[in-house]
Short mmCIF file of all heavy atoms in Angstrom, two decimals:
data_model
loop_
_atom_site.label_atom_id
_atom_site.label_comp_id
_atom_site.label_asym_id
_atom_site.label_seq_id
_atom_site.Cartn_x
_atom_site.Cartn_y
_atom_site.Cartn_z
N VAL A 111 4.67 -0.30 -12.38
CA VAL A 111 6.06 0.04 -12.61
C VAL A 111 6.76 -1.15 -13.24
O VAL A 111 6.65 -2.28 -12.74
CB VAL A 111 6.77 0.44 -11.29
CG1 VAL A 111 8.26 0.65 -11.52
CG2 VAL A 111 6.13 1.71 -10.72
N LEU A 112 7.49 -0.90 -14.31
CA LEU A 112 8.26 -1.94 -14.99
C LEU A 112 9.74 -1.71 -14.73
O LEU A 112 10.29 -0.66 -15.09
CB LEU A 112 7.98 -1.91 -16.50
CG LEU A 112 8.88 -2.78 -17.38
CD1 LEU A 112 8.69 -4.27 -17.06
CD2 LEU A 112 8.62 -2.51 -18.87
N GLN A 113 10.40 -2.70 -14.10
CA GLN A 113 11.85 -2.67 -13.94
C GLN A 113 12.48 -3.60 -14.98
O GLN A 113 11.96 -4.68 -15.24
CB GLN A 113 12.26 -3.13 -12.53
CG GLN A 113 11.74 -2.24 -11.41
CD GLN A 113 12.40 -2.58 -10.10
OE1 GLN A 113 13.53 -2.19 -9.82
NE2 GLN A 113 11.71 -3.35 -9.27
N VAL A 114 13.60 -3.16 -15.55
CA VAL A 114 14.26 -3.93 -16.61
C VAL A 114 15.73 -4.09 -16.27
O VAL A 114 16.41 -3.10 -15.96
CB VAL A 114 14.12 -3.23 -17.98
CG1 VAL A 114 14.64 -4.14 -19.09
CG2 VAL A 114 12.68 -2.83 -18.25
N LEU A 115 16.22 -5.32 -16.34
CA LEU A 115 17.63 -5.61 -16.11
C LEU A 115 18.01 -6.88 -16.87
O LEU A 115 17.13 -7.67 -17.24
CB LEU A 115 17.96 -5.73 -14.63
CG LEU A 115 17.48 -6.93 -13.82
CD1 LEU A 115 18.17 -6.93 -12.46
CD2 LEU A 115 15.97 -6.93 -13.62
N PRO A 116 19.30 -7.09 -17.13
CA PRO A 116 19.68 -8.20 -18.01
C PRO A 116 19.26 -9.58 -17.52
O PRO A 116 18.75 -10.40 -18.30
CB PRO A 116 21.21 -8.09 -18.07
CG PRO A 116 21.50 -6.67 -17.74
CD PRO A 116 20.46 -6.26 -16.76
N ALA A 117 19.48 -9.87 -16.24
CA ALA A 117 19.19 -11.19 -15.71
C ALA A 117 18.95 -11.09 -14.21
O ALA A 117 19.17 -10.05 -13.60
CB ALA A 117 20.34 -12.16 -16.01
N LEU A 118 18.51 -12.20 -13.64
CA LEU A 118 18.25 -12.25 -12.20
C LEU A 118 19.00 -13.44 -11.58
O LEU A 118 18.41 -14.33 -10.99
CB LEU A 118 16.74 -12.37 -11.94
CG LEU A 118 15.94 -11.07 -12.07
CD1 LEU A 118 14.45 -11.35 -12.12
CD2 LEU A 118 16.26 -10.12 -10.91
N GLU A 119 20.31 -13.42 -11.74
CA GLU A 119 21.13 -14.49 -11.19
C GLU A 119 21.60 -14.15 -9.77
O GLU A 119 21.26 -14.82 -8.82
CB GLU A 119 22.33 -14.77 -12.09
CG GLU A 119 21.98 -15.51 -13.37
CD GLU A 119 21.46 -16.92 -13.13
OE1 GLU A 119 21.62 -17.44 -12.00
OE2 GLU A 119 20.89 -17.50 -14.06
N ALA A 120 22.40 -13.11 -9.64
CA ALA A 120 22.92 -12.70 -8.33
C ALA A 120 23.53 -11.32 -8.47
O ALA A 120 23.89 -10.89 -9.56
CB ALA A 120 23.95 -13.70 -7.84
N GLY A 121 23.64 -10.60 -7.35
CA GLY A 121 24.30 -9.30 -7.38
C GLY A 121 23.48 -8.23 -6.70
O GLY A 121 22.29 -8.40 -6.41
N GLY A 122 24.12 -7.08 -6.46
CA GLY A 122 23.47 -5.99 -5.76
C GLY A 122 22.30 -5.41 -6.52
O GLY A 122 21.26 -5.10 -5.94
N ALA A 123 22.44 -5.24 -7.85
CA ALA A 123 21.33 -4.70 -8.64
C ALA A 123 20.13 -5.62 -8.60
O ALA A 123 18.98 -5.18 -8.50
CB ALA A 123 21.78 -4.48 -10.08
N GLU A 124 20.40 -6.92 -8.68
CA GLU A 124 19.33 -7.91 -8.67
C GLU A 124 18.61 -7.93 -7.32
O GLU A 124 17.38 -7.96 -7.26
CB GLU A 124 19.89 -9.28 -9.00
CG GLU A 124 20.40 -9.43 -10.43
CD GLU A 124 21.79 -8.86 -10.66
OE1 GLU A 124 22.36 -8.26 -9.72
OE2 GLU A 124 22.30 -8.98 -11.77
N LEU A 125 19.39 -7.91 -6.24
CA LEU A 125 18.79 -7.90 -4.91
C LEU A 125 17.94 -6.64 -4.72
O LEU A 125 16.83 -6.70 -4.19
CB LEU A 125 19.88 -7.96 -3.84
CG LEU A 125 20.58 -9.31 -3.65
CD1 LEU A 125 21.80 -9.14 -2.75
CD2 LEU A 125 19.62 -10.33 -3.05
N GLY A 126 18.48 -5.51 -5.16
CA GLY A 126 17.75 -4.26 -5.03
C GLY A 126 16.46 -4.25 -5.83
O GLY A 126 15.44 -3.72 -5.38
N THR A 127 16.48 -4.88 -7.00
CA THR A 127 15.27 -4.97 -7.82
C THR A 127 14.17 -5.72 -7.09
O THR A 127 13.01 -5.30 -7.07
CB THR A 127 15.59 -5.66 -9.15
OG1 THR A 127 16.53 -4.86 -9.88
CG2 THR A 127 14.34 -5.85 -9.99
N LEU A 128 14.53 -6.84 -6.48
CA LEU A 128 13.54 -7.62 -5.74
C LEU A 128 13.03 -6.87 -4.51
O LEU A 128 11.84 -6.91 -4.18
CB LEU A 128 14.12 -8.98 -5.33
CG LEU A 128 13.84 -10.14 -6.31
CD1 LEU A 128 14.48 -9.88 -7.67
CD2 LEU A 128 14.36 -11.46 -5.73
N ASP A 129 13.93 -6.15 -3.84
CA ASP A 129 13.52 -5.38 -2.66
C ASP A 129 12.54 -4.27 -3.04
O ASP A 129 11.53 -4.05 -2.37
CB ASP A 129 14.75 -4.76 -1.98
CG ASP A 129 15.66 -5.79 -1.32
OD1 ASP A 129 15.16 -6.89 -1.01
OD2 ASP A 129 16.84 -5.49 -1.12
N VAL A 130 12.85 -3.57 -4.13
CA VAL A 130 11.97 -2.49 -4.58
C VAL A 130 10.63 -3.05 -5.04
O VAL A 130 9.57 -2.46 -4.81
CB VAL A 130 12.65 -1.66 -5.69
CG1 VAL A 130 11.66 -0.70 -6.35
CG2 VAL A 130 13.82 -0.88 -5.12
N ALA A 131 10.66 -4.22 -5.69
CA ALA A 131 9.40 -4.86 -6.11
C ALA A 131 8.50 -5.12 -4.91
O ALA A 131 7.29 -4.85 -4.95
CB ALA A 131 9.70 -6.16 -6.85
N ALA A 132 9.09 -5.61 -3.83
CA ALA A 132 8.31 -5.88 -2.63
C ALA A 132 7.77 -4.58 -2.03
O ALA A 132 6.62 -4.52 -1.56
CB ALA A 132 9.16 -6.62 -1.61
N ALA A 133 8.58 -3.54 -2.04
CA ALA A 133 8.14 -2.26 -1.50
C ALA A 133 7.01 -1.66 -2.33
O ALA A 133 6.07 -1.06 -1.79
CB ALA A 133 9.32 -1.29 -1.44
N LEU A 134 7.08 -1.83 -3.64
CA LEU A 134 6.02 -1.33 -4.51
C LEU A 134 4.69 -2.03 -4.20
O LEU A 134 3.64 -1.40 -4.12
CB LEU A 134 6.39 -1.54 -5.97
CG LEU A 134 7.36 -0.52 -6.57
CD1 LEU A 134 7.92 -1.02 -7.89
CD2 LEU A 134 6.66 0.83 -6.77
N ARG A 135 4.75 -3.34 -4.04
CA ARG A 135 3.53 -4.07 -3.68
C ARG A 135 2.97 -3.55 -2.36
O ARG A 135 1.76 -3.39 -2.22
CB ARG A 135 3.83 -5.57 -3.57
CG ARG A 135 4.20 -6.23 -4.89
CD ARG A 135 4.23 -7.75 -4.74
NE ARG A 135 5.06 -8.36 -5.76
CZ ARG A 135 6.30 -8.76 -5.60
NH1 ARG A 135 6.89 -8.62 -4.42
NH2 ARG A 135 6.97 -9.31 -6.59
N GLY A 136 3.86 -3.30 -1.41
CA GLY A 136 3.42 -2.79 -0.12
C GLY A 136 2.78 -1.43 -0.22
O GLY A 136 1.96 -1.05 0.63
N ALA A 137 3.16 -0.65 -1.26
CA ALA A 137 2.58 0.68 -1.45
C ALA A 137 1.32 0.64 -2.30
O ALA A 137 0.78 1.69 -2.67
CB ALA A 137 3.62 1.59 -2.11
N GLY A 138 0.87 -0.57 -2.66
CA GLY A 138 -0.35 -0.70 -3.44
C GLY A 138 -0.14 -0.60 -4.93
O GLY A 138 -1.10 -0.46 -5.69
N ALA A 139 1.11 -0.65 -5.38
CA ALA A 139 1.39 -0.57 -6.80
C ALA A 139 1.55 -1.98 -7.38
O ALA A 139 1.73 -2.96 -6.65
CB ALA A 139 2.66 0.23 -7.05
N ARG A 140 1.50 -2.04 -8.68
CA ARG A 140 1.76 -3.29 -9.40
C ARG A 140 3.16 -3.21 -9.96
O ARG A 140 3.59 -2.17 -10.47
CB ARG A 140 0.74 -3.47 -10.51
CG ARG A 140 0.89 -4.76 -11.30
CD ARG A 140 -0.22 -4.85 -12.33
NE ARG A 140 -0.09 -6.03 -13.16
CZ ARG A 140 -0.21 -6.02 -14.48
NH1 ARG A 140 -0.45 -4.88 -15.11
NH2 ARG A 140 -0.09 -7.13 -15.18
N VAL A 141 3.90 -4.31 -9.89
CA VAL A 141 5.28 -4.29 -10.36
C VAL A 141 5.50 -5.41 -11.36
O VAL A 141 5.02 -6.54 -11.18
CB VAL A 141 6.27 -4.41 -9.18
CG1 VAL A 141 6.06 -5.69 -8.39
CG2 VAL A 141 7.72 -4.35 -9.67
N LEU A 142 6.21 -5.10 -12.43
CA LEU A 142 6.64 -6.09 -13.41
C LEU A 142 8.15 -5.98 -13.54
O LEU A 142 8.72 -4.87 -13.47
CB LEU A 142 6.00 -5.83 -14.77
CG LEU A 142 4.47 -5.87 -14.84
CD1 LEU A 142 4.00 -5.39 -16.21
CD2 LEU A 142 3.95 -7.27 -14.54
#
């Protein structure tokens, strides 16, 4: 799964992106 967003400085979208990335790894998926 590829997630795309402008930057990774701070904010709710950024935090959510990192949380989902961790959940994807936990589900056996690869995340970019």
Side-chain angles (χ1 to χ4, degrees):
V111 174
L112 171 64
Q113 297 192 79
V114 188
L115 71 169
L118 281 166
E119 286 295 346
E124 292 80 356
L125 286 169
T127 297
L128 266 63
D129 291 338
V130 170
L134 280 166
R135 293 190 203 99
R140 182 177 177 226
V141 59
L142 299 172

